[in-house]
């Protein structure tokens, strides 16, 4: 089981704060540093000093780290055209020496779209655009060297693109598709994904989602292995007092976190991670909401990571 650190910088985090978490995660032995792709804070926080762009941030962090994998959970397809997005991700893959995992989703938070003048079409259209973007990204990255790439869809058209730059990873970074949808998400995961992620659902619900994607893979005749993973908010304490303090710092209660996330003593977290492992999960994304608390990462590394 690989444990990955997953952050939400739109809640209020500078680049320096993100870099500190990424470097700590690398030094402590975690497998990856991931961040969300949002432009507006959520809940009762100001979000100050303001959002940071995910791919600019990851490119900078790539030059300050050497081992840890880097990625988004997940980039919003509504934010960027697929051609420039392919260039950005390929460049960060080059800058990191081939350490990018690439999550892509439909986009869902309408407020950040209206706040920054980004079109927010219907859910149906967003899924249509997501599928075309997946086609284009894999096509650009996978086009043989020296050959051009063209695409004609309902939403995007590319004509004789040089399909450059190429990522370090042959064919492009591993693609992560996440979500809990019953039909479109499993179909897209079966066709395009290297990893399928279920974010913020309980163990039983996560197993149901894994089952739907396994069925979609079988129906599509997919033979390539698919990595299954889950994302959970994390809150760990050596005792109840420490646990209460960390839960309060992120505006949550211990009882709610125990039910809906990974919360409790290190032993409780190890046991619950094991339950996800029994479903076939190979990676757990630990959503760290208090990015000031590097002692939390040290506890997770010493008492949880070392035991899974």
């Amino acid at each position: 089981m690989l444990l990955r650190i997953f952050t939400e910088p739109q809640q209020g985090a500078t680049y320096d704060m993100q870099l500190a978490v990424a470097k700590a995660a690398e030094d402590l032995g975690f497998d990856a540093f991931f961040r969300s792709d949002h432009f507006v804070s959520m809940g009762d926080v100001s979000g100050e000093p303001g959002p940071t762009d995910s791919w600019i941030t990851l490119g900078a962090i790539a030059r300050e780290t050497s081992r840890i994998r880097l990625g988004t959970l997940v980039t919003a397809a509504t934010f960027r055209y697929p051609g420039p997005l392919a260039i950005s991700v390929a460049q960060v893959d080059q800058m990191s020496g081939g350490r990018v995992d690439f999550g892509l989703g439909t986009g869902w938070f309408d407020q950040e779209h209206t706040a920054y003048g980004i079109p927010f079409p219907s859910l149906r259209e967003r899924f249509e655009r997501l599928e075309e973007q997946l086609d284009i990204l894999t096509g650009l990255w996978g086009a043989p060297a020296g050959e051009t790439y063209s695409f004609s869809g309902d939403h995007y058209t590319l004509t004789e693109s040089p399909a450059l730059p190429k990522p370090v990873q042959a064919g492009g970074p591993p693609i992560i598709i996440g979500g809990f949808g019953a039909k479109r998400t499993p179909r897209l995961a079966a066709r395009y994904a290297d990893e399928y992620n279920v974010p913020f659902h309980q163990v039983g619900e996560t197993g149901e989602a894994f089952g739907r994607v396994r069925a979609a893979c079988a129906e599509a005749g997919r033979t390539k292995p698919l990595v299954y993973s889950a994302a959970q908010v994390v809150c760990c304490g050596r005792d109840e007092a420490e646990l209460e303090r960390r839960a309060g710092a992120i505006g949550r209660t211990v009882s709610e976190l125990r039910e809906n996330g990974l919360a409790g003593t290190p032993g409780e977290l190890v046991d619950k991670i094991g339950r996800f492992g029994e479903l076939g999960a190979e990676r757990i994304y630990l959503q760290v909401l208090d990015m000031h608390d590097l002692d939390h990462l040290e506890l997770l590394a010493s008492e949880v990571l070392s035991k899974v």
Side-chain angles (χ1 to χ4, degrees):
M1 178 69 73
L2 298 176
L3 299 187
R4 297 182 153 190
I5 298 302
F6 169 39
T7 62
E8 300 277 356
Q10 78 280 353
Q11 299 299 90
T14 63
Y15 164 72
D16 288 337
M17 187 182 298
Q18 294 172 70
L19 177 61
V21 173
K23 293 181 79 168
E26 179 168 80
D27 292 344
L28 291 167
F30 291 99
D31 179 62
F33 171 83
F34 270 62
R35 56 156 291 161
S36 60
D37 189 27
H38 287 297
F39 293 137
V40 170
S41 62
M42 303 167 196
D44 189 23
V45 296
S46 69
E48 294 178 357
T52 50
D53 180 87
S54 60
W55 289 101
I56 291 174
T57 300
L58 291 173
I61 290 174
R63 306 304 290 178
E64 300 286 346
T65 55
S66 60
R67 176 196 61 81
I68 201 164
R69 294 194 68 82
L70 304 167
T72 53
L73 203 64
V74 293
T75 288
T78 50
F79 288 175
R80 302 165 182 88
Y81 287 109
L85 178 59
I87 292 170
S88 296
V89 177
Q91 182 176 352
V92 177
D93 199 52
Q94 290 181 358
M95 294 169 74
S96 68
R99 291 186 282 126
V100 166
D101 288 352
F102 175 59
L104 186 65
T106 59
W108 61 271
F109 190 29
D110 57 347
Q111 183 179 340
E112 63 189 340
H113 292 76
T114 57
Y116 287 97
I118 304 167
F120 188 66
S122 67
L123 181 60
R124 177 176 179 176
E125 182 176 330
R126 297 202 310 275
F127 264 102
E128 291 172 356
R129 288 179 177 272
L130 172 62
E131 185 161 7
E132 288 192 16
Q133 287 208 12
L134 288 164
D135 243 345
I136 292 165
L137 289 159
T138 54
L140 288 169
W141 292 334
E147 295 187 13
T148 61
Y149 171 80
S150 298
F151 176 88
S152 180
D154 293 331
H155 302 285
Y156 306 103
T157 299
L158 285 72
T159 304
E160 296 185 359
S161 169
L164 296 172
K166 297 296 188 193
V168 170
Q169 298 175 89
I175 291 175
I176 304 168
I177 291 178
F180 196 70
K183 295 181 179 179
R184 289 173 292 195
T185 298
R187 180 178 62 80
L188 291 178
R191 180 176 178 184
Y192 295 103
D194 298 282
E195 177 180 341
Y196 170 63
N197 178 267
V198 178
F200 314 123
H201 280 78
Q202 295 182 1
V203 175
E205 296 170 332
T206 300
E208 294 170 5
F210 285 178
R212 289 192 291 269
V213 171
R214 290 189 179 105
C217 289
E219 183 177 350
R222 175 177 173 138
T223 57
K224 180 182 177 181
L226 182 66
V227 173
Y228 291 85
S229 65
Q232 296 277 293
V233 62
V234 67
C235 186
C236 187
R238 296 174 181 85
D239 53 37
E240 287 298 314
E242 188 173 54
L243 189 57
E244 290 278 1
R245 175 176 61 80
R246 288 203 164 106
I250 60 174
R252 307 281 283 269
T253 66
V254 171
S255 59
E256 181 268 325
L257 286 170
R258 274 194 165 109
E259 181 177 0
N260 297 314
L262 279 171
T265 63
E268 288 179 273
L269 268 64
V270 171
D271 288 345
K272 194 165 187 178
I273 289 170
R275 293 168 61 195
F276 283 105
E278 290 169 0
L279 300 175
E282 299 176 47
R283 297 169 184 164
I284 300 293
Y285 292 78
L286 304 176
Q287 186 193 45
V288 175
L289 294 176
D290 184 357
M291 296 176 65
H292 296 89
D293 188 1
L294 297 184
D295 289 341
H296 194 195
L297 296 186
E298 293 180 5
L299 175 61
L300 291 167
S302 64
E303 299 296 331
V304 179
L305 176 62
S306 64
K307 295 178 172 59
V308 298

